[in-house]
Structures are given as C-alpha cells and as structure tokens.
Amino acid sequence: MKNRRSFIVGIKSTKLNNKEKIFLRKFKPWGVILFTRNIKNINQTLKLTRSIRKIFNDNYYPILIDQEGGRINRLKNIISFENLTSEFFGKRYSKSQNDFNFFYKLFIDKTSYLLNSMGININTVPVLDLRVKGASTIIGNRSFSHNPSIVSKLGEYCIKHYHQNKIGTVMKHIPGHGLAKVDSHYFTPIVYKKIEYLKKKDFIPFMNK
C-alpha cells in the first residue's frame, strides 16, 4: 500500500489499454473498481484483475465492485440476481430469522465465490440507508428496511459473512441517503433533519460496526 494515493478509479473496457497502464503506474490509485462494462465472463475478469495486480506487484491490491444484488448487479453478464434485493432479505428476516439466515448466507457465499474466482476482493456492501417513504427512488429496495434496528443487524450479518469469505466490505451511504429527495449521482442532496433525529434513526446502522 506504500505511496498509493487515496482515490479509486474505473477502467474503460474488459482489459487494460496502454494509457490506463501508464496512468496506474504513474498515479498509483488506492484501488480499481469494476463495472458491468468490464465483466464479460469469469476467465476474462480474472485475467483483467491479474493484469492490474501485476502492475503493482501486489496479490492483495484492492479491486472493488458494487455487487449488491437486485438492480445493482455488476455480474449480470454472468448471472441474474435481480430478484434478490436487500428489501427481499429484510422481509425474510421479519417473517423468519431462520429462513433469513439460510438464504442470506447462501446468497453471500455464492456471491463471494464468484468474486474470489474473478480476483475481486472488496464488495461495496452493505447498504445501510433506511427505506424512507417519499424519498428519492435511488435507494428504494436497496434498503433492508425502514427500521434502524433491522438494518443494523442485517448489515452486521452481511459484513461478518463477507469477511469470512475473504471479501472486504464498504458500508454506504452515510449520512443517510435514505432521506435524500434527489439522486446524489446527479444532484447534491440536502437533508434538513436535525442531528438529534439522525443519531436516533439514520446513523444507528452505521454505529459500532
């Protein structure tokens, strides 16, 4: 990790081009994040991640992905996870914790197997935003629940089991995108709730992780 800079970059296609190789060698970003455009199949992606790590001579160089399931499915060229949203698992938890434990662990284990097979070592999960009625749809069914306690417990479960599978995690999107009225990819959201409210609600899932 020595001399790496604190930013993450994406790349254009399914393999590095010469300009990207020069950029990575020169600027030494902290990590590289992959998107659907970079992933055609397992073997191709493994070659890509190996070529990235070769530049840094580091078998553990951070290579990230947003692989939540549901509509945030960067592996859609390989497998479909569209129905397996965080909301789906949150509802399972509310109905039967035993069923939740079985199905969510299976989901994480299989996702981790695919990521490990492709040389990806960090998944940017869990989404710890609350489901808020009337807010932007950018979160929506990406949230486990409107209940801070449920989101917190399921977030802990998510982190624990990905780590057991040797996949790092990144919590998102504090300070509470669930309240945002606009999509922060395109506009700057402003949350007007007082800090006391946020501490009792939106911040709870992010605390003590």
Side-chain angles (χ1 to χ4, degrees), residues 42-184:
I42 292 173
N43 289 334
Q44 164 270 319
T45 309
L46 182 59
K47 288 180 182 178
L48 172 60
T49 57
R50 284 176 172 172
S51 69
I52 293 169
R53 291 196 169 103
K54 186 176 180 181
I55 289 174
F56 297 97
N57 192 28
D58 181 356
N59 291 332
Y60 300 99
Y61 179 77
I63 298 179
L64 304 86
I65 193 169
D66 288 317
Q67 184 54 36
E68 299 172 15
R71 56 195 156 104
I72 311 301
N73 181 29
R74 310 303 188 203
L75 302 182
K76 64 184 178 181
N77 292 333
I78 298 173
I79 193 168
S80 173
F81 283 129
E82 274 71 17
N83 294 326
L84 300 177
T85 65
S86 292
E87 181 183 59
F88 168 84
F89 290 113
K91 288 181 176 179
R92 282 276 179 178
Y93 179 85
S94 296
K95 289 179 180 178
S96 168
Q97 292 185 24
N98 286 334
D99 281 358
F100 165 80
N101 290 339
F102 176 82
F103 287 111
Y104 197 44
K105 185 177 185 301
L106 181 64
F107 171 73
I108 291 174
D109 287 346
K110 296 305 179 185
T111 301
S112 299
Y113 178 81
L114 283 170
L115 298 184
N116 281 317
S117 297
M118 294 185 287
I120 298 167
N121 57 358
I122 299 176
N123 192 9
T124 63
V125 293
V127 172
L128 297 181
D129 303 286
L130 304 184
R131 183 78 181 261
V132 178
K133 187 176 181 180
S136 167
T137 58
I138 186 61
I139 297 299
N141 62 11
R142 296 167 66 193
S143 172
F144 290 115
S145 174
H146 68 278
N147 186 319
S149 178
I150 291 177
V151 175
S152 183
K153 289 176 183 177
L154 273 55
E156 288 179 6
Y157 191 97
C158 175
I159 293 167
K160 174 184 174 182
H161 285 283
Y162 270 112
H163 289 186
Q164 287 178 351
N165 283 289
K166 301 187 185 306
I167 300 292
T169 52
V170 178
M171 299 183 295
K172 55 191 185 186
H173 308 82
I174 200 168
H177 205 312
L179 284 166
K181 299 290 186 181
V182 296
D183 181 351
S184 61

